[in-house]
Amino acid sequence: MFFYRCPLKCFTKINENDRNNIFAKFYSLKTKDEQDIYLQGLIEKRSVGRRRKKTTESEEIKKSCTYIHFVLVGNTRVRVCQKAFLSLNGISKKRVQRIKILLSNNETPRDKRGHNPKVHAVPEESNILIRQHVESFPLKQTHYSGKPMSYLDARLNVKLMYQLFKEKHPGSSIKYDYYLKYFREHFNYRFGRPQVDTCCQCEELGVKVKSSSLGDAAKRTAAAELIVHKRRAKKFYQYLKNAETRCKTNENVLALSFDYMQNLHLPETPVQDLFYLTQLTVNVFNIHNFKTGESFFYIYHEGNGNKGPNEVCSFLLHYIKNYVPDNVEELLLFCDNCPGQNKNNTVIRMCMALVETRFKKVEQIYPIRGHSFLPCDRDFGTVKKLLRRFDRIFSVHEFTRLIITSSASRKFTVMEVEKNDIWDFKNWWTKFYKKNIVSLETSKKGIPRRQQQNFSVSQFHHFRHDASKPGYVSASPFIDSPFNKHTFYLKMPNTGIVRWPSNNAYQSKIPIKETKVNHIKLVMKYIPDKHKPFYNDIVNWPTKT
């Protein structure tokens, strides 16, 4: 039993069960307003029954009223003292004093917390200005990563964006710290091209080896897999180094590596308005010759060609016809695993056609994903080093001149490509070669269908073509692997000698995005007069939405 001393010098007896019910009933009310109204209903205001005098002073204490407290025990109101009232309801004395003042003024309790505006709160109009400013910058999308990501121009950063914001809105009181906080919370875009070429398997296995939640057996398995993976990756570079040695010691062997450079853009000018606009894309394709150390560049803007197998095959065939000596009998090709450009059915069939028309042997070597550093990348680094020194570039011709002069030790040759230089290889090979077929090793009788190996380009990293076996291709899952080799016969019957494509890939100009053309119109005022004919041609180019 709980006993509370009342002002009337008697005991109010409330058992434990009643006390729990009083407490539970009060806190079953969800809002503070409901609780305060409930408490106010349990307090009565009465006139003072007897006035007392101070013990130290003769002046009488003038008290206007007194308050009586009750609690509900079942449906019965039981009078208690203030101390019991506070204890049974689990509330503070300050809260009850506020309710008494409202009761004296005949007012209903009302919760006013959070209704007063904050003194230092940023108005919503400023947040809208920041959002509109960030959204005014054009975004770029990743092309080859598994998860699509958006990123801003590599020349930008948050500090520069804030400076541009202040220039655009000079009357705004937004500070840099708040601009940065808003950017991180609502956008948090990356700047420049994100790192998508890192090896996923190396990262995953490295985390497993260092993980504290895995057992020793799992860690040893991950460590062994990591060692095997790195050895396979190293095999590519060993094969590349041996190919370079063979090229220099054997005049009948030639090795080439090829790849696309990171996109360039026109016009290149330090004008701030250009940060908010999209630009004309310029594509650069490089073929590096291991024997001579020279590089050949093909350059063109997006209105003259895309970045696909038609372009890759056209450039390779052009280089072979014009720059590969007739005495070369064996050709080695090194490139990365990009399926939209280098590693696809079209490039495979072109190499098959090369052994039927020109070479005795052709090999295609693809590295392990994430371990694809090629001699082309060194050439690209040399070119970019010079391009960073120029802040105003207005034409493809200027890019051509800068690429040629970027290297003093290595000879760079550049060809400016038109749409008529690109042939339709994607539709050409279907007349001479099959698309899919089961390997000779797994097409025998008695082998279940689920164990048969179809010709899937993505599953292999080493392809061999031999003129002694036209129409056949030997594919291995790893470079120079003695195991799991598969042979495929892809030649169509009764097709005769292969003839190179005679149709161009593009019958007319390739349309450019309408938004991009409109943005180029806005920067025409920054273009020098001698370059305006080129941009006038781009402005009148066919567009697409």
Side-chain angles (χ1 to χ4, degrees), residues 340-372:
Q341 299 167 4
N342 307 325
K343 191 177 183 181
N344 49 63
N345 286 309
T346 306
V347 177
I348 298 292
R349 272 51 172 207
M350 179 205 169
C351 293
M352 295 180 69
L354 287 174
V355 297
E356 294 188 48
T357 58
R358 174 71 186 273
F359 302 101
K360 291 184 177 180
K361 290 183 179 180
V362 174
E363 289 188 40
Q364 295 173 261
I365 303 95
Y366 296 92
I368 300 295
R369 182 187 175 192
H371 302 272
S372 58

Side-chain angles (χ1 to χ4, degrees), residues 221-249:
T221 302
E225 291 179 1
L226 184 60
I227 293 173
V228 173
H229 172 74
K230 289 185 176 180
R231 285 179 179 175
R232 287 173 177 171
K234 190 176 180 181
K235 186 72 175 179
F236 172 79
Y237 296 108
Q238 292 174 350
Y239 208 88
L240 188 147
K241 188 175 182 180
N242 294 336
E244 186 173 4
T245 304
R246 290 181 60 196
C247 287
K248 294 180 179 179
T249 57

Side-chain angles (χ1 to χ4, degrees), residues 258-259 334-338 341-343 365-367 372 374:
F258 55 92
D259 196 10
F334 296 86
C335 58
D336 60 25
N337 292 273
C338 177
Q341 299 167 4
N342 307 325
K343 191 177 183 181
I365 303 95
Y366 296 92
S372 58
L374 297 167

Side-chain angles (χ1 to χ4, degrees), residues 190-204:
R190 304 185 184 194
F191 295 94
R193 185 174 294 276
Q195 299 296 321
V196 297
D197 291 332
T198 57
C199 183
C200 303
Q201 194 167 355
C202 284
E203 293 290 333
E204 180 182 354

